[in-house]
Amino acid sequence: MRLPTRTTAKSVPKTPARTAGRARLRLPRLDGLRGRLIITVVVVALISAVTATALAYRDSRNAVLKRAQNAAVDDFHNRVEQLAPELDVPPDLRSLTRFATDVSAGLRAAPVIAQYRDYTASSDPSADRTRFTPELRAAVHTHDRVSLQRVEYGGAPWLVLGAPVGLDGATHDGSSANRSGVEIFAVVSLEEEERDTADLVRSVQGGLVPVVLLAAVLALLAARTVLRPVRRLARATRRLATGELSTRVEEKGRDEVAELAHTFNETAGALERTVGELREQEALARRFVADVSHELRTPLAAMTIVSSVLEEDADQLTPDTAHAARTVSAETTKLARLVDDLIEICRFDARAVALTVHGVDVAEAVRATLAARGWTGQVEADLPPGVRARLDRRRIDVIVANLVGNALRHGAPPVTVTVRTADDQLSVSVSDHGPGLAPEVARHVFDRFYKADSARTRSEGSGLGMAIALENARLHGGTIELAPPAPGVGAVFTLRIPLRTESTS
């Protein structure tokens, strides 16, 4: 009798597919565009490598197991077909045991079990028969071909084969008339193939680190190439912010970075043109103010002389005429002061001013300022003697006069002038006890033509006094500071300039 002709085997898989272990890569935290770009490339490379490893493991495992499975089926089929004619039917237990042992001898360390009705014989009495599942037994009982099934047993993969043995060696259609009633089963270990597949996976995994390192190097080079024009653009932006309006960047290529560089150049060009136009208009405005001020100076001098004469003779005029003469004289004086302030501001803007410094007794200079304007009795002066410095006395007189005049006009008595020296610095403070300055006024107190009460456009001052005082302080290398509001104290302005004595000049 012979084993029926082998047909296409049917597998009933029971083991779930294994997934490849993924290598964990700990990346340092990197900030900035370069770090994000490198991390992105490395992560993509790592995912690609792990995915390729998983696919390779799956395909290689299936191929190796398929090849081992086909070889085992062929060996099993050939061995049974060779020994089937020597089996007596119906067999006894002894002949079944000899048949199972002879079949096992030609297979790769596979225990073989032969079954005939109530007789069951095994080539290995210690073999565990639980590996022959009911599904496989049913397939062998109903099909006339080699049936197979892959199972996991004891943590190792196994291939279980089974087939019916036919009568007279003839291929039959599976009817009971053509069956001998003998069924034979074999168990083949797939552990060696599993090890080969695991070795292959470990080899592929060993190549992950070089791949990731290579990806990091390539990402670093790519980031450097991409970010170099971005850095140039950043440097150009900083130069543009500092006032270098002629700054431009080189436009290379046709990508997004080149488009960004082109947009930056267009923006910088438009800004340069706009700022140039504004500067020209500002220069024209300053020249206009300077020219008008100088042109007004001569007729104003004549008007001042005439108005002074009229004011001196006002007592001899009729009341209405005397009032008009005094009004013309006062307004002419204000206009003359405004023109002088405008000319002074134009000189500051044109940088046409210079200091004329001498050794000055600061206390004496402050007293002279107060006395010249008749403020000695209205101001409390704290002027320690012996404080000398190299100053432009005329400009210091302008600064102190503006600060004290504002305190007298807008503050409340007592108004105090204090002179101090500390850390090679001279300070002159003017304080009053009025309501102080509101925050919105304090922000603009040094602006040109600014007046706290916008409704009172007509006042004794021109709105340029504090701006001129600050410019004079800056000429000395110093500044004027407004102290923060404090309870019980009004506005406190402090002139601070470096203390340069005759010995240090």
Side-chain angles (χ1 to χ4, degrees), residues 257-340:
V257 177
E259 183 178 355
L260 179 61
H262 179 71
T263 303
F264 172 84
N265 290 336
E266 287 185 341
T267 303
L271 180 61
E272 185 178 19
R273 289 190 297 271
T274 301
V275 172
E277 293 174 357
L278 292 176
R279 286 175 177 173
E280 290 179 0
Q281 295 176 4
E282 184 180 6
L284 290 174
R286 289 176 177 174
R287 189 177 303 114
F288 173 77
V289 173
D291 291 343
V292 170
S293 300
H294 282 86
E295 291 297 327
L296 288 175
R297 175 171 271 183
T298 300
L300 276 175
M303 291 174 60
T304 301
I305 295 173
V306 173
S307 62
S308 299
V309 173
L310 290 176
E311 187 176 10
E312 291 176 359
D313 297 337
D315 294 336
Q316 303 175 10
L317 302 175
T318 62
D320 291 340
T321 304
H323 176 72
R326 292 189 181 94
T327 302
V328 169
S329 177
E331 295 299 326
T332 302
T333 302
K334 291 182 182 179
L335 184 58
R337 187 181 301 114
L338 174 61
V339 170
D340 290 340

Side-chain angles (χ1 to χ4, degrees), residues 26 45 79-80 89 108 131 174 185 200 231-232 236 264 277 291 310 325 369 394 396 430 468 476-477 481 503:
R26 293 183 178 181
R79 188 64 178 168
V80 173
V89 179
R108 189 181 62 186
R131 284 173 283 188
F185 300 90
L200 176 61
R231 292 194 191 97
R232 288 199 297 265
F264 172 84
E277 293 174 357
D291 291 343
L310 290 176
T369 300
R394 183 183 70 85
I396 293 297
V430 178
I468 293 175
H476 286 84
E481 299 174 353
S503 60

Side-chain angles (χ1 to χ4, degrees), residues 168-494:
D168 300 329
T171 303
H172 56 80
D173 56 2
S175 64
S176 59
N178 292 324
R179 288 178 176 269
S180 65
V182 177
E183 297 175 347
I184 190 164
F185 300 90
V187 180
V188 180
S189 174
L190 298 177
E191 191 171 1
E192 183 177 351
E193 285 76 13
E194 193 74 16
R195 283 197 302 268
D196 294 340
T197 304
D199 292 340
L200 176 61
V201 171
R202 281 192 293 270
S203 300
V204 175
Q205 288 176 342
L208 287 179
V209 174
V211 168
V212 172
L213 293 178
L214 179 61
V217 172
L218 294 178
L220 183 61
L221 296 177
R224 183 177 300 176
T225 302
V226 172
L227 296 180
R228 187 179 294 114
V230 177
R231 292 194 191 97
R232 288 199 297 265
L233 187 61
R235 288 193 295 269
T237 303
R238 286 192 292 269
R239 290 197 302 271
L240 189 67
T242 59
E244 298 181 27
L245 302 181
S246 60
T247 301
R248 300 293 185 274
V249 294
E250 185 178 2
E251 302 177 19
K252 289 184 179 180
R254 298 180 179 178
D255 55 6
E256 290 79 2
V257 177
E259 183 178 355
L260 179 61
H262 179 71
T263 303
F264 172 84
N265 290 336
E266 287 185 341
T267 303
L271 180 61
E272 185 178 19
R273 289 190 297 271
T274 301
V275 172
E277 293 174 357
L278 292 176
R279 286 175 177 173
E280 290 179 0
Q281 295 176 4
E282 184 180 6
L284 290 174
R286 289 176 177 174
R287 189 177 303 114
F288 173 77
V289 173
D291 291 343
V292 170
S293 300
H294 282 86
E295 291 297 327
L296 288 175
R297 175 171 271 183
T298 300
L300 276 175
M303 291 174 60
T304 301
I305 295 173
V306 173
S307 62
S308 299
V309 173
L310 290 176
E311 187 176 10
E312 291 176 359
D313 297 337
D315 294 336
Q316 303 175 10
L317 302 175
T318 62
D320 291 340
T321 304
H323 176 72
R326 292 189 181 94
T327 302
V328 169
S329 177
E331 295 299 326
T332 302
T333 302
K334 291 182 182 179
L335 184 58
R337 187 181 301 114
L338 174 61
V339 170
D340 290 340
D341 289 345
L342 287 174
I343 293 175
E344 187 73 3
I345 283 291
C346 291
R347 288 174 180 169
F348 282 120
D349 291 339
R351 294 179 174 82
V353 293
L355 290 176
T356 304
V357 297
H358 302 282
V360 175
D361 185 312
V362 179
E364 181 61 32
V366 173
R367 289 192 189 94
T369 300
L370 299 178
R373 292 162 178 80
W375 294 338
T376 303
Q378 305 177 51
V379 177
E380 296 181 1
D382 183 2
L383 309 175
V387 179
R388 296 188 61 84
R390 290 185 58 82
L391 306 170
D392 187 324
R393 182 161 182 165
R394 183 183 70 85
R395 298 189 182 279
I396 293 297
D397 174 79
V398 172
I399 297 173
V400 174
N402 273 289
L403 296 180
V404 174
N406 284 336
L408 291 173
R409 284 193 298 270
H410 306 293
V415 175
T416 304
V417 180
T418 304
V419 174
R420 293 289 185 269
T421 57
D423 299 328
D424 295 329
Q425 190 176 65
L426 171 66
S427 63
V428 179
S429 299
V430 178
S431 62
D432 63 71
H433 288 72
L437 298 178
E440 61 273 11
V441 175
R443 286 194 296 268
H444 304 284
V445 70
F446 293 106
D447 292 351
R448 298 177 182 181
F449 297 105
Y450 180 78
K451 295 183 180 181
D453 188 358
S454 58
R456 298 178 59 187
T457 57
R458 293 287 298 168
S459 64
E460 185 177 348
S462 63
L464 295 172
M466 294 300 292
I468 293 175
L470 181 60
E471 293 292 343
N472 281 316
R474 289 172 176 170
L475 278 179
H476 286 84
T479 187
I480 300 177
E481 299 174 353
L482 173 61
V489 181
V492 180
F493 288 89
T494 302

